[in-house]
């Protein structure tokens, strides 16, 4: 089939396929994203909890701690966004193995730059209460989003179709 394409396009398609496959082959070295935290520092049932403010459902977990505690990358990856968003406040977004986006929100400070590589366990910011978390106890909102959907994960819950993209961080961090 590829022989029908011009040579430069064939080369580009093969390279793109190689990069896609490589993304799935890279190992995930998973760690809890708040220094010194354990599963006791978040509510395992808060993923997909509703009602949850203007977003309808909570598509992540909130890991509580003290302001200024180091926030660590959960896996190796590349920082694709580091800045401020209205709801998330100070945010870092890391593209990791398996084409998953790791979203770290409500940071007090950002310690990672755009397009910089990060290693699992590397500090990317500090815990805070920015964005729509102002006035609430300091915490990290942590979400994981698949770039390639898993339609079999969809269900009848509120916004259940979005479960094709969102991964339960509790299960992910505990290796389930």
């Amino acid at each position: 089939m590829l022989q029908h394409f011009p040579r430069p396009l064939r080369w580009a398609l093969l390279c793109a396929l190689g990069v896609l496959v490589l993304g799935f082959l890279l190992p995930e070295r998973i760690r809890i994203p708040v220094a010194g935290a354990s599963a006791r520092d978040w509510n395992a049932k808060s993923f997909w909890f509703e009602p949850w403010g203007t977003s309808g459902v909570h598509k992540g977990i909130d890991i509580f701690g003290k302001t200024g505690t180091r926030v660590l990358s959960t896996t190796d990856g590349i920082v694709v966004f580091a800045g401020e968003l209205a709801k998330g406040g100070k945010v870092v977004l890391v593209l990791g193995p398996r084409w998953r986006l790791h979203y770290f929100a409500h940071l007090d400070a950002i310690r990672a730059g755009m397009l910089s590589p990060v290693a699992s366990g590397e500090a990317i910011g500090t815990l805070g209460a920015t964005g729509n978390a102002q006035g609430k106890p300091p915490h990290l909102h942590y979400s994981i989003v698949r770039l390639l959907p898993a339609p079999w994960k969809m269900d009848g819950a509120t916004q259940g179709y979005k479960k094709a993209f969102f991964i339960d961080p509790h299960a992910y961090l505990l290796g389930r």
Side-chain angles (χ1 to χ4, degrees), residues 21-94:
V21 169
L22 180 63
F24 283 106
L25 295 177
L26 293 173
E28 290 184 300
R29 297 184 309 135
I30 302 165
R31 67 164 302 118
I32 293 174
V34 175
S38 71
R40 292 184 311 272
D41 296 307
W42 69 80
N43 181 345
K45 296 179 182 174
S46 66
F47 177 69
W48 228 264
F49 185 83
E50 66 173 304
W52 200 272
T54 58
S55 59
V57 295
H58 195 236
K59 299 171 188 82
I61 58 172
D62 293 337
I63 304 172
F64 293 87
K66 294 182 180 186
T67 300
T69 302
R70 288 179 308 129
V71 171
L72 314 169
S73 181
T74 50
T75 189
D76 302 316
I78 303 268
V79 175
V80 294
F81 180 79
E84 293 202 34
L85 300 173
K87 287 184 183 181
K90 292 181 182 172
V91 167
V92 172
L93 187 64
V94 174

